[in-house]
Amino acid sequence: MIHFSRSLTRLLGELKKLPGVGDKTALRLAFHLLKSPDNLSALAESLLEVKAGVRFCSICFSITEADPCHLCSTERDSTTICVVEEPQDILAMERSRAFNGRYHVLHGALSPLNGITPSDLKIAELMQRLEKGSIREVLLATNFTVEGEATALYLTRLIKPLSIRVTRLAHGIPLGSDLEFVDAATVQRAVEGRSEL
Ligand SMILES: [Zn+2]
């Protein structure tokens, strides 16, 4: 059994909190960084810079340096909101060039098994935006996973009584897939072929 210094143990612990990083990868990353002190300093500085300069947009909850973010403050169709799970899903939608409305980031999807309930997501904030009355359509672009579908269903039930059109990306996006990894042409077809729920 190898004993690591307190600082290295802490670094390994922090690395393992990242998605997809287990014991082996954490060790590999840590030793790689230790071999090049310049890289280590640059990484530490960029993490602090991000922490100081990047925040969530107070309207759509995407990641931004200016609040509100450019997607909330530039001229776009303000009658349509596209609901996504994570900020990176916005990139997938924007790459498709098929959507010109506003966005709302939930920061996850409903997952009772993992203890993720509506109050863990930005759902109350979404409802507040909808209650202002100028939104005519909500496009649900949550992932095509069990959790994403359950979230879309839950939101449909909440939003429909407000007499707002609720649509879902057309299937054609492979089941089980995260939006961020779907190619632009497929997302474009899915937006254009979106169906009412
Ligand atoms: Zn925004």
Side-chain angles (χ1 to χ4, degrees):
M1 173 103 187
I2 313 168
H3 285 281
F4 295 122
S5 68
R6 200 182 62 85
S7 61
L8 185 53
T9 304
R10 184 179 171 200
L11 174 61
L12 291 171
E14 293 304 320
L15 287 171
K16 279 195 285 183
K17 290 179 190 168
L18 300 172
V21 177
D23 286 326
K24 264 167 87 173
T25 307
L27 265 179
R28 198 159 52 87
L29 291 171
F31 283 114
H32 177 80
L33 288 167
L34 289 172
K35 270 193 297 191
S36 51
D38 286 351
N39 288 351
L40 192 57
S41 306
L43 179 65
E45 279 164 24
S46 82
L47 289 174
L48 290 174
E49 195 177 285
V50 160
K51 183 173 182 288
V54 178
R55 70 204 76 192
F56 293 128
C57 172
S58 59
I59 298 175
C60 71
F61 298 95
S62 183
I63 293 167
T64 182
E65 287 190 50
D67 186 23
C69 73
H70 77 282
L71 289 167
C72 285
S73 48
T74 51
E75 199 168 316
R76 293 174 71 104
D77 172 12
S78 292
T79 65
T80 308
I81 290 185
C82 174
V83 176
V84 295
E85 291 183 21
E86 302 293 346
Q88 59 266 35
D89 296 329
I90 292 179
L91 299 178
M93 289 296 294
E94 287 296 293
R95 273 197 307 263
S96 80
R97 295 170 184 275
F99 181 76
N100 187 40
R102 307 288 181 190
Y103 289 97
H104 190 88
V105 183
L106 295 173
H107 287 275
L110 294 177
S111 179
L113 287 177
N114 294 314
I116 311 291
T117 65
S119 62
D120 296 309
L121 307 175
K122 302 291 181 194
I123 290 179
E125 291 83 353
L126 172 66
M127 298 313 289
Q128 279 171 15
R129 289 179 76 182
L130 300 182
E131 279 156 14
K132 287 184 183 146
S134 57
I135 308 297
R136 289 206 290 268
E137 178 184 345
V138 174
L139 169 56
L140 299 173
T142 50
N143 292 334
F144 285 88
T145 56
V146 174
E147 292 81 9
E149 295 284 12
T151 308
L153 187 66
Y154 179 84
L155 290 175
T156 304
R157 288 186 184 145
L158 275 186
I159 298 168
K160 275 243 157 177
L162 302 176
S163 302
I164 293 170
R165 191 171 171 237
V166 182
T167 55
R168 179 89 171 111
L169 289 183
H171 287 271
I173 292 187
L175 286 179
S177 61
D178 285 1
L179 191 61
E180 62 171 307
F181 301 121
V182 179
D183 67 278
T186 304
V187 174
Q188 185 186 2
R189 279 196 299 277
V191 174
E192 284 163 357
R194 63 188 186 268
S195 51
E196 187 149 2
L197 295 175

